[in-house]
Structure formats: C-alpha cells, structure tokens
Amino acid sequence: MSDLIKTELNDRVLTLRMNRPDKKNALTQAMYIGLASAIENAVDNTEVRVLLIAGAPAAFSSGNDIQDFLQSVSLGQESPVLRFMRALAQFPKPAIAAVNGLAIGIGSTLLLHTDLAYAGEGTRFQFPFVNLGICPEYAATYLLPRMMGHARAAELTYFGEPFSAKTAYEYGLINAILPDADVEPHALERARKLAQQPPNALRVTKRLLKHWRQETVTDAIQYEAEHFGPMLKQPEAVEAFTAFVQKRKPDFSGFK
Ligand code: COA
C-alpha cells in the first residue's frame, strides 16, 4: 500500500485515509487501486466489521486528478476508478465517511455509496462535472434526483457551484454536521459502536436496504462511464482541464 492511502485497523474498524494533502487529496490511478484493494481485502476479513473513509483536515478529496484526465485515463471495466467504484458500492459491511475541507467530484459522489457520512461545518461540497465539460459519475444521475428531487439535483449539477454542509445535510447527503475537529472522533465512535452490533444482522440489513436499487446503480455507473469516457477527450473538457492547469478561467463561448 502506498503512502497515498493509509490503512489502520483498530477495534474492528478499518480506516482508509486518502493522504495527498499537497494536492488536496486529488485522486490518482494509484490511489484508486490502493482504495479498491483495501476495500476488496476487507470483504472477507472477519477482523473488519466497519469501514471508515477519511481524508486530510483541509480536504476529504478534491476529486479525480485533473492532470490524469488530460492523460488518456482508461474507464474500462478493469480500470482503477471503476474497480474502486464497484468495490465501495458493493461492500457488504457498513461504510462511513468522515468529511472535512473539500468534497469535490468523486469526493462527493462517493458519499452516495457509503452508508453514513459526517461532515465538518466548514466543508465545501461540489459537483463540478458540467463546469469541466463532462457529466456526473458514480450513479449520481440516478441517485441524486431520488435523494433530493430533480430540481435540487439539477441546480447542483448544472451550475456546479460549491455548496455548504448545511445544504448537504438538508438534501440528505450527510447524516450530521459537526465542528470540523469533531468529525473524525464522532465518525470513529459511531464506527466502533457499529462494530459491536451483530455483524450478520448488519450485513443482511445493508443488503436489503440496497437490494431494491442495486442493479440500477450498477447499470447507472456503467452507463455514465460510457458517456464520461469519450467526453474527457472532447473540446469542452480539454478547454476546462487546460484552463485548470494554466490557472485561468475556461472559455466555452465558441462551442456549439
Ligand atoms: N486535480 C489535480 N490537481 C489538483 C486538484 C485536482 N482535482 N485539486 C487541487 N489540485 C492541486 C492544485 O493544482 C494545486 O497544485 P499546485 O500546488 O501544484 O499548483 C494544489 O492541488 C493545491 O490546490 P489549489 O488550487 O492551489 O488550492 P485552493 O485552495 O486554491 O483550491 C480547489 C482548491 C480544490 C478548490 C481547487 O484546486 C480546484 O478547484 N480543484 C479542482 C477540483 C475539481 O474540479 N476536481 C475534479 C472533479 S471531477
């Protein structure tokens, strides 16, 4: 496991920490592989009863690494990002997110696949996909309208503006807002409490809660990836990514 993903197993709670603070925890291919491997290995490890995903104080994650988007990243079935998405979406035990700082792109959409999420009052959430000339991923186009209604999902995705922890809470994306410094201790306390619950009853309950939508979620992840992949190479996205790297505003005025 690289230093970019740190793992810690205590009291039957496996903590996975994204650890690239200098880049605001932007996720690289290696980080997706690290996360996917750790989650896959936790499935049959009886010492793991609960998964806790955490980041750095200033950034849970700023989403996919935009430099990687400019390279030809693969979005095939066995690509690192899809492997990670599947591993978390199908993880059979409770998964909790402890969110602070930034939760952008997949740093926000992964919260649609954890069971519980706690966020710091200063967290900035954002679905910036359209701003980047691409479309949402990780079944967000299926799950967001059902979670919060079409109008709210459209506002958050079409404008791609940052939104607060208060909005995330009101819209049902997170369970609670806490002072920033209390997020991890609180998430850990909830995780430890869950780790003492009867594990099979928890697994069956999780499976049942997700059963009714699981097939559609799997389809949605795939269907969105079929759009997302080609869009990465199209001029709107190339302009957005290049503008980010060049630290300037993108110019979409010439596109049809
Ligand atoms: N991909 C690649 N690099 C990223 C990144 C990302 N998603 N997010 C941040 N970084 C890098 C910055 O380029 C910068 O690198 P540098 O120090 O080599 O210049 C470093 O992380 C620190 O970020 P910076 O932009 O200086 O910090 P900030 O506090 O001013 O802004 C963000 C933070 C997250 C708001 C801003 O970096 C941003 O908008 N990032 C892109 C988010 C995004 O659109 N993600 C894609 C989702 S699909």
Side-chain angles (χ1 to χ4, degrees), residues 117-133:
Y118 302 103
E121 56 201 354
T123 310
R124 165 187 165 165
F125 297 82
Q126 192 178 5
F127 300 117
F129 306 103
V130 168
N131 310 14
L132 293 169

Side-chain angles (χ1 to χ4, degrees), residues 122-208:
T123 310
R124 165 187 165 165
F125 297 82
Q126 192 178 5
F127 300 117
F129 306 103
V130 168
N131 310 14
L132 293 169
I134 50 181
C135 62
E137 33 67 320
Y138 217 173
T141 58
Y142 173 69
L143 293 169
L144 287 180
R146 280 153 190 83
M147 169 183 280
M148 56 183 67
H150 180 85
R152 287 166 161 183
E155 178 122 33
L156 294 185
T157 56
Y158 294 1
F159 291 101
E161 291 162 340
F163 57 98
S164 65
K166 184 167 169 285
T167 301
Y169 177 70
E170 282 169 9
Y171 288 9
L173 197 58
I174 58 173
N175 291 79
I177 306 172
L178 295 131
D180 292 347
D182 295 350
V183 173
E184 276 203 32
H186 180 76
L188 197 54
E189 186 215 304
R190 299 304 278 165
R192 286 194 179 121
K193 188 160 185 189
L194 272 188
Q196 287 164 18
Q197 292 284 72
N200 185 56
L202 269 181
R203 286 195 302 271
V204 173
T205 301
K206 173 165 180 167
R207 192 163 72 236
L208 290 171

